Amino acid sequence: MVESSVVYLFRDDQVLMLLRNKKKKDVNQGKWIGVGGKKERNETIEACAIREVYEETGYCALDIQEMGMIDFVYPKFNLERIHVFLCKNFDGEKRECLEGELHWIDRSKVSSLNLWPGDHYFLPRIFMKDCPYFHYEMSYDERGSLIKVKELI
């Protein structure tokens, strides 16, 4: 199983979103996602999240909170577990991302972006004041269509 992190940085009533549009071969091409990536060997998932925030944004995450996790099932890929984090406390200056364009988006407009279908299940939850921890299993077909969502807790 591949383990990854995704972090949503919040500032006032905005969330930092990444439009994936710079890599030629990218499963996320044209999608808006949070920042993050795969966990490296001998790295905790929290360290992965903090490292990825810095590498992709230039921001130093001073405090992150794990909100839940999602197990993604794809026919052509290994099972991937993504840990979802929220970051409201960060420092530094935003820099250009090599994987796409970073934009601060009003929280109320995020659901209208070109998101993965499964993101509509967990993103509204992390916007809640007292979001309970969640764990989903989401299955996609070869075309990227969501075919099954199972809430595990």
Side-chain angles (χ1 to χ4, degrees):
M1 175 187 328
V2 175
E3 259 192 301
S4 300
S5 67
V6 63
V7 184
Y8 294 91
L9 285 80
F10 280 82
R11 174 182 77 184
D12 301 320
D13 206 29
Q14 295 182 314
V15 61
L16 187 64
M17 298 293 290
L18 173 61
L19 173 59
R20 292 289 291 255
N21 61 359
K22 291 188 179 177
K23 287 183 170 181
K24 290 189 183 209
K25 283 190 160 189
D26 187 354
V27 69
N28 292 303
Q29 179 67 33
K31 301 282 190 211
W32 290 84
I33 62 174
V35 297
K38 291 181 180 61
K39 182 172 93 70
E40 295 179 355
R41 190 177 178 167
N42 300 322
E43 180 179 51
T44 66
I45 197 63
E46 293 83 4
C48 167
I50 291 167
R51 175 183 53 76
E52 289 286 348
V53 166
Y54 181 73
E55 287 177 0
E56 293 185 4
T57 70
Y59 292 127
C60 180
L62 303 174
D63 185 33
I64 59 171
Q65 176 185 2
E66 187 169 1
M67 305 302 289
M69 63 182 154
I70 305 163
D71 294 332
F72 286 103
V73 180
Y74 306 99
K76 296 180 182 178
F77 301 104
N78 291 331
L79 177 67
E80 183 174 5
R81 173 167 287 165
I82 298 182
H83 298 262
V84 180
F85 291 91
L86 189 63
C87 178
K88 294 181 179 178
N89 189 9
F90 53 92
D91 196 11
E93 304 244 348
K94 184 175 79 167
R95 66 174 176 226
E96 185 177 339
C97 179
L98 300 176
E99 298 181 6
E101 298 172 15
L102 293 166
H103 295 275
W104 286 103
I105 306 291
D106 288 338
R107 189 168 73 174
S108 63
K109 296 180 180 174
V110 170
S111 64
S112 66
L113 300 174
N114 184 26
L115 305 170
W116 280 99
D119 291 7
H120 293 281
Y121 285 85
F122 72 89
L123 278 176
R125 292 182 75 164
I126 69 170
F127 294 157
M128 296 173 11
K129 183 175 180 163
D130 295 314
C131 171
Y133 191 86
F134 58 84
H135 185 182
Y136 288 106
E137 180 181 271
M138 298 185 181
S139 300
Y140 285 85
D141 66 15
E142 299 85 13
R143 297 179 315 275
S145 297
L146 184 63
I147 55 174
K148 181 179 168 189
V149 176
K150 182 177 179 182
E151 191 165 2
L152 302 174
I153 58 170

